[in-house]
Structures are given as C-alpha cells and as structure tokens.
Amino acid sequence: MESSCDETGVALVDAGGEGPPRLVAEALHSQAAMHEAYGGVVPELASRDHIRRVLPLARQVLERAGCGVHDIDLVAYTRGPGLAGALLVGAGVAAALAAALGRPALGVHHLEGHLLSPFLAAPAPSFPFVALLVSGGHTQLMRVEGIGHYELLGETIDDAAGEAFDKSAKLLGLGYPGGPALARLAQSGDPGAFALPRPLLHGSHGAGLDFSFAGLKTAVATQLRRLGPEPDVQARADLAASTEAAIVEVLVAKALRALRQTGLRTLVVAGGVGANLKLRAALDAGAARMQAGVHYPPLALCTDNGAMIALAAALRVQAGLERPQRPQAFDVLPRWPLAEAGRPALA
C-alpha cells in the first residue's frame, strides 16, 4: 500500500517463482484533479482522500488477481518519506489488515520502491548500477551494489527537478501537475529560444554530482516579466521548451558523469520525472555513446504506485534483509534518508 503523497496505490505481487517478483494486479487513484484548484498538494485533503480510497482499491486488486484476502502472505506499506498524515493512513490500514489476518507487515522506503521499480520491466537491470531518482521532491544519484546497499553520489541542494518543472509550469499559467503540462506545451516550442542557466553544470562546480534547480525557476520568472503581462502562445511554448531542455541537459550530464566516475555501465532511472520522453531520449542517446544501458520502469509505474512498494518488500525478504513480524505497533518516518533504509529493519 502506497499513500505517501497524492496517489493511493495498492498492488499484489507474486514472489514465489524464479526471477524477480511478478506483478499480479494493481490499482491506483490520483488526487491531481482534487489538488489542481489549489495549485499543489493540500496535506489534510490528501490524507482524507487516502482514507476513502484505500480499501476499495484493495478490493479491486484482489478481484483482478482472483485471490481472496487470506491468500496474502505479507502486507507491505510505505513507511516514509512523505506527508505524515498521508503515510499514517496506509500504514494504519496495512498494520490492521496484517493483524486481522495473522500475517506479518513490513514498512518500505518510498525511494527504495522507486529505485527498484525497473525490476518490474523486461529486461530487468543487473547489479551494480547507478540510479537516477527524479521526482517532485527528490533528485538523487545513487550507486547501487545490491538490495539494501545504496551509496549517495549526489543530490539537489535546493529544488528537485520535479519542483522545477511544477514551479515553472505554474509561472506559465499551466495546470497541476505542472510537469506533464509543461512537457506538452514544450512540444510546439523552440528549446533554444531562451538562454536559461544550467546550474552546477559548468565552472568550479562542473565536476560534481550535486544538483540545483532553484535558480532556473527564477530565470523563468525573469523571462516572463520581460515578455510582458500577456505573452503570446508561441513565446510561452518556447519558454516551456527552453525550460525542459535546461532540466534535461543537467540531469543527463550528471547521470552520464556518474557512470564515468564509477566505471559502471548500467543506469536505472526512476521517479515521476523519469516519464519525460525528452529525458528518456537524451539518456538513451548519451548512454549509447558510452556503450551503457538504461533501464526504466513501465511508464504507468513511474509515478507513485503500490506495485513498487510490494516489489521492494518482496525483494528485501528474498535477500534476507527482513524477517517481518506480526504488527504490534507501527510508525511512519516523514523524513527518512534512503541510505539509512539499506540496513535491515529487524535484527
């Protein structure tokens, strides 16, 4: 069960066969339409909507899988990071279900779910690899040696890439969520029309693997002021395309730099921004020049979903990192570094 922010996701995976666990059924409800009127996620509304959605979605999943509730062996949920109230909904329902069934429960790190989600695609990646995690709240590069073995290589020092998309889209008067809306507008624009900054890509910081996108949002606001109060459609499309190009260039350059610095030849891309088609095309082209491979989750599983949480739980159990127990209590961790999730939660 996934309920960390504004999507309620429930999924069932089968880990009984050879190879990676298999997705049996999943269901997802997005709150985007509800939050659009506010221009962003309202935590209290998000929590209340998770309460309404989680059990009907669970019933849908079991029906699609042709399973009964007593066929469940383990109940996994997102323990963090995320919105505290939203996390508590999924954690509370998962722990209650596990207790009622006499089954164990396991709290999963949200970003570990994203990081491992390409194992639901074919072909699945092989360890070790570099992971680029790009979402609305996180932009990180990780070295991944295996399940539970994560080394942080670089991260954003301010806004994440997804925030840069969303905030720029809001400045352009686009809807929520802003990233997909900006990408659609950019299709009819000229990516070279505006000279926008590529933060931490050149100069004294050029060799590093950290990111910074706050200055890009400021540059977009400055260009809009220069265009006047009512820029024409083409100017807005050009600015959207230029913004997308700047974000993509930084992400691609840093990801390829991480491959060179680690000597690895496999890149895994996960998180909502990983669905951006310009980013995928640029990463594929850059990796091909290095004779490296790139792996993505299925497009439908780039945003938050229950499948990645069930998968991560199954892989951790298979790797011997967890001995899940029947829940006596549960907690959530709204702030939880991924490196700290690598170690077993239970001795």
Side-chain angles (χ1 to χ4, degrees):
M1 295 181 176
E2 156 61 27
S3 68
S4 63
C5 190
D6 60 345
E7 276 108 4
T8 314
V10 181
L12 183 69
V13 301
D14 179 3
E18 296 183 0
R22 177 179 63 89
L23 177 61
V24 179
E26 64 113 9
L28 182 71
H29 174 76
S30 171
Q31 301 175 2
M34 181 178 69
H35 295 297
E36 184 174 6
Y38 305 95
V41 177
V42 181
E44 179 65 18
L45 294 180
S47 302
R48 290 174 181 269
D49 198 64
H50 288 309
I51 294 171
R52 287 191 292 267
R53 307 291 180 179
V54 63
L55 289 178
L57 289 174
R59 295 189 188 101
Q60 287 181 31
V61 167
L62 291 173
E63 289 173 3
R64 292 172 183 173
C67 295
V69 69
H70 291 283
D71 294 319
I72 298 170
D73 299 307
L74 169 69
V75 185
Y77 61 92
T78 304
R79 189 181 180 202
L83 302 174
L87 290 167
L88 282 168
V89 175
V93 171
L97 177 60
L101 295 174
R103 301 288 195 270
L106 179 61
V108 173
H109 196 289
H110 178 80
L111 293 183
E112 185 173 37
H114 275 305
L115 187 151
L116 299 176
S117 60
F119 283 91
L120 291 168
S126 299
F127 298 111
F129 56 76
V130 170
L132 173 64
L133 299 176
V134 276
S135 67
H138 300 87
T139 301
Q140 297 178 331
L141 282 164
M142 308 287 297
R143 181 188 178 110
V144 181
E145 293 290 336
I147 305 297
H149 297 277
Y150 312 125
E151 177 190 354
L152 181 65
L153 300 175
E155 62 183 341
T156 183
I157 62 175
D158 43 54
D159 287 357
E163 286 180 278
F165 270 115
D166 290 341
K167 291 178 179 179
S168 297
K170 190 171 184 178
L171 290 169
L172 285 163
L174 303 177
Y176 173 86
L182 187 145
R184 286 192 295 271
L185 180 60
Q187 291 175 0
S188 57
D190 176 7
F194 294 91
L196 297 178
R198 272 64 168 167
L200 300 189
L201 193 56
H202 306 292
S204 59
H205 299 287
L209 296 177
D210 285 334
F211 302 86
S212 170
F213 292 104
L216 178 60
K217 178 203 69 176
T218 303
V220 172
T222 300
Q223 293 293 346
L224 276 171
R225 284 195 297 272
R226 291 173 179 170
L227 291 172
E230 295 185 4
D232 61 40
V233 173
Q234 189 57 54
R236 291 171 67 248
D238 288 345
L239 186 52
S242 299
T243 303
E244 181 181 51
I247 296 171
V248 167
E249 183 179 341
V250 171
L251 292 174
V252 171
K254 298 280 185 173
L256 298 182
R257 184 176 297 157
L259 287 175
R260 288 192 293 271
Q261 291 185 6
T262 60
L264 299 177
R265 285 293 175 266
T266 302
L267 176 69
V268 161
V269 183
V273 179
N276 183 278
L277 297 181
K278 293 288 180 61
L279 175 62
R280 288 190 174 212
L283 284 171
D284 288 342
R289 291 193 294 270
M290 296 178 60
Q291 296 184 320
V294 189
H295 296 262
Y296 310 90
L299 274 173
L301 299 180
C302 284
T303 56
D304 298 348
N305 61 85
M308 68 184 194
I309 301 303
L311 170 75
L315 290 174
R316 288 184 69 86
V317 172
Q318 285 182 340
L321 293 177
E322 306 284 356
R323 289 190 292 109
Q325 298 177 354
R326 295 182 184 181
Q328 303 297 317
F330 65 89
D331 66 351
V332 296
L333 299 173
R335 295 182 181 275
W336 188 13
L338 179 55
E340 295 180 8
R343 297 183 292 275
L346 299 169

